[in-house]
Amino acid sequence: MPISFTIEPTAGLLRTVVTGRFGRDEMLAYANDLRTHPSLDRVERRLVDIRPSAVVSADELLDLLVLEHDVAGSTRRTDRRAILLNSDTGPALGRELVVADRRHSGIAISYRVFRSTAHAYRYLRVEPRLVSDRARAATRRATQDS
């Protein structure tokens, strides 16, 4: 699946990862999965992580952001939104991308654009999850067994 997501309820982070080319069907599957997620109401921060393998244009990314905001968005000014571009060959974006909110009379919603994982997570005020919890637990068990 070229679009996947996780929601970290304790941090309020919706992390969407784009790993490949996507079309309308993948966007609808993403929206349906997101809409039914039990922790959707806890989302306060959004990170859209565009991987180097994703061949995506700025227009396609904008369509994805509008769809995501229609499903999981809010007009709270305290919400933080970021786009992480992991490649120099990704879509040409400036430092900020603004999406019009169709549900709330066209209120502008802005996403900050980053090329550094550390900077994106710092802006979102969330600790980066570089190692999965399972890997951490396995490392702790191996250390304790020694």
Side-chain angles (χ1 to χ4, degrees):
M1 189 91 182
I3 306 170
S4 60
F5 73 92
T6 57
I7 295 178
E8 296 176 22
T10 55
L13 177 66
L14 165 61
R15 184 172 185 255
T16 302
V17 180
V18 180
T19 57
R21 196 138 190 77
F22 60 87
R24 185 178 185 276
D25 291 340
E26 290 85 6
M27 287 177 60
L28 290 175
Y30 165 72
N32 289 333
D33 290 346
L34 186 58
R35 190 175 285 118
T36 60
H37 196 281
S39 298
L40 184 61
D41 60 335
R42 294 185 171 172
V43 172
E44 295 176 355
R45 297 170 178 89
R46 291 157 188 77
L47 174 67
V48 179
D49 187 349
I50 309 295
R51 297 297 170 95
S53 59
V55 181
V56 126
S57 71
D59 288 338
E60 292 167 330
L61 179 59
L62 184 60
D63 289 343
L64 179 66
L65 295 175
V66 167
L67 177 68
E68 179 190 275
H69 189 74
D70 282 348
V71 173
S74 78
T75 56
R76 292 187 302 249
R77 294 287 181 208
T78 55
D79 282 7
R80 290 181 170 255
R81 302 163 186 88
I83 299 169
L84 176 59
L85 296 175
N86 287 296
S87 170
D88 291 333
T89 59
L93 303 173
R95 296 177 72 173
E96 191 171 63
L97 184 65
V98 178
V99 178
D101 179 6
R102 293 184 289 199
R103 289 185 309 166
H104 298 98
S105 65
I107 295 171
I109 304 297
S110 35
Y111 288 78
R112 293 284 310 268
V113 179
F114 296 92
R115 294 198 181 271
S116 158
T117 302
H119 290 126
Y121 277 96
R122 190 176 307 130
Y123 170 75
L124 292 170
R125 298 179 182 149
V126 174
E127 288 294 318
R129 299 188 84 177
L130 302 175
V131 181
S132 72
D133 289 338
R134 260 188 259 150
R136 280 189 208 147
T139 304
R140 283 186 206 136
R141 268 187 262 123
T143 308
Q144 290 171 353
D145 293 342
S146 302

